[in-house]
Amino acid sequence: MKAIILKKSLFSEGNEILTMYTRESGKVRAVARSVKSPKSRLSYALQTLFYTELEILPNKKLGAITSVKPLEVFQGIYASPQKVAYAMYATEVLLKSTPDEEVNEEIFDLFLELLKHLDSSDSLKHASVDIFVLELLSLSGYALSVENCVVCGKALSKDLSFSNRRGGFVCKDSALKVSDAFVVSDMVYSVIAKYANKQSKQADYASIDEQTGDLAGEIHRIVESFAKHILERDLNASGLLGKL
């Protein structure tokens, strides 16, 4: 089973529960027994964000990890506190937006492409992570409306606003009718409209970061606001990005 490790929690003395996103089974949990022991053969390979191939012994309550082989350890992410913060933000949204044991190979592949991009990227700001969040929410059934005004249905062009409650962009003429609408720059709209409902590859994410630059802050504010609205929960890791 191929899995990306999302989260680790202490289970009992020496044991941990791992939450993983797998290509075969979606989001799953399993116990790693005695993983805290210095003699554990599993310890190194079971780190958060590692892309692994592992075996799980089934159990009625909680399966047990019996073997693991790291496929990608993403040293480039761990070498940068900024990249770690971006990766944790993406991971938190993935954890909070996906149900347990619901297979979605597209989400798995999308997250892996993002991690590969972050691992190799030289960019200082990563609007690509916010675009990933929009793509993830789209695959989870919350696609943004990016072509037509969500109020009047007219084709969108410029002088737009965004509404979390309506789930998309609002034209200038309709903005006053929507209580939560806020103005969005034309350039930011263009980026979001192009990628929000796409399934990006590593090269796409690199291109996004090259294009956005100073737009990254505005993109993050829009996406964070929308994600919080959809999830009806705060995003703890997102606050770190405002300090970068």
Side-chain angles (χ1 to χ4, degrees):
M1 176 181 291
K2 292 183 177 179
I4 301 170
I5 299 169
L6 306 179
K7 181 181 177 182
K8 300 198 297 179
S9 305
L10 186 64
F11 177 51
S12 57
E13 187 174 354
N15 304 326
E16 289 181 332
I17 293 178
L18 274 69
T19 305
M20 302 162 286
Y21 204 89
T22 71
R23 202 166 196 279
E24 295 85 350
S25 303
K27 189 171 69 180
V28 300
R29 293 175 177 81
V31 62
R33 300 193 182 282
S34 302
V35 73
K36 290 294 188 180
S37 169
K39 297 180 180 180
S40 172
R41 292 179 294 177
L42 302 177
S43 180
Y44 166 74
L46 295 177
Q47 302 300 319
T48 305
L49 298 180
F50 277 22
Y51 171 40
T52 66
E53 187 168 7
L54 48 78
E55 293 183 4
I56 298 177
L57 184 65
N59 186 287
K60 289 183 179 180
K61 292 185 178 179
L62 197 63
I65 298 171
T66 56
S67 68
V68 59
K69 178 175 73 173
L71 301 176
E72 296 274 358
V73 299
F74 302 118
Q75 292 180 343
I77 294 178
Y78 275 102
S80 166
Q82 290 88 350
K83 288 184 180 182
V84 169
Y86 279 109
M88 289 298 100
Y89 166 48
T91 300
E92 184 177 5
V93 178
L94 179 57
L95 280 165
K96 291 179 175 179
S97 65
T98 53
D100 291 348
E101 299 182 6
E102 183 175 291
V103 179
N104 194 318
E105 295 179 354
E106 293 172 325
I107 287 179
F108 179 90
D109 293 341
L110 190 70
F111 189 44
L112 184 58
E113 291 291 326
L114 177 72
L115 293 178
K116 288 180 177 179
H117 162 63
L118 288 177
D119 188 55
S120 62
S121 175
D122 293 325
S123 298
L124 297 177
K125 296 182 179 180
H126 296 280
S128 54
V129 178
D130 286 296
I131 297 300
F132 162 80
V133 168
L134 292 179
E135 294 172 330
L136 169 61
L137 293 176
S138 178
L139 289 171
S140 300
Y142 301 102
L144 282 183
S145 177
V146 297
E147 295 182 358
N148 300 93
C149 173
V150 292
V151 176
C152 69
K154 292 180 181 178
L156 297 169
S157 57
K158 59 180 182 178
D159 298 327
L160 305 177
S161 298
F162 184 86
S163 167
N164 291 319
R165 187 162 51 84
R166 296 295 187 100
F169 293 91
V170 184
C171 71
K172 184 178 180 180
D173 293 337
S174 298
L176 293 177
K177 302 175 184 178
V178 183
S179 60
D180 71 333
F182 56 91
V183 175
V184 175
S185 70
D186 294 341
M187 293 180 66
V188 164
Y189 163 71
S190 296
V191 173
I192 291 177
K194 182 177 180 179
Y195 292 101
N197 300 320
K198 188 177 178 178
Q199 294 173 41
S200 292
K201 302 293 185 182
Q202 185 176 349
D204 296 315
Y205 289 134
S207 179
I208 290 166
D209 286 343
E210 290 175 2
Q211 294 174 45
T212 51
D214 294 338
L215 301 177
E218 184 182 354
I219 292 172
H220 178 63
R221 287 190 292 274
I222 294 169
V223 175
E224 178 189 33
S225 176
F226 180 63
K228 286 182 177 180
H229 174 76
I230 292 299
L231 300 174
E232 298 182 333
R233 303 169 72 177
D234 285 333
L235 295 171
N236 300 320
S238 180
L240 297 174
L241 302 185
K243 302 176 183 179
L244 298 181

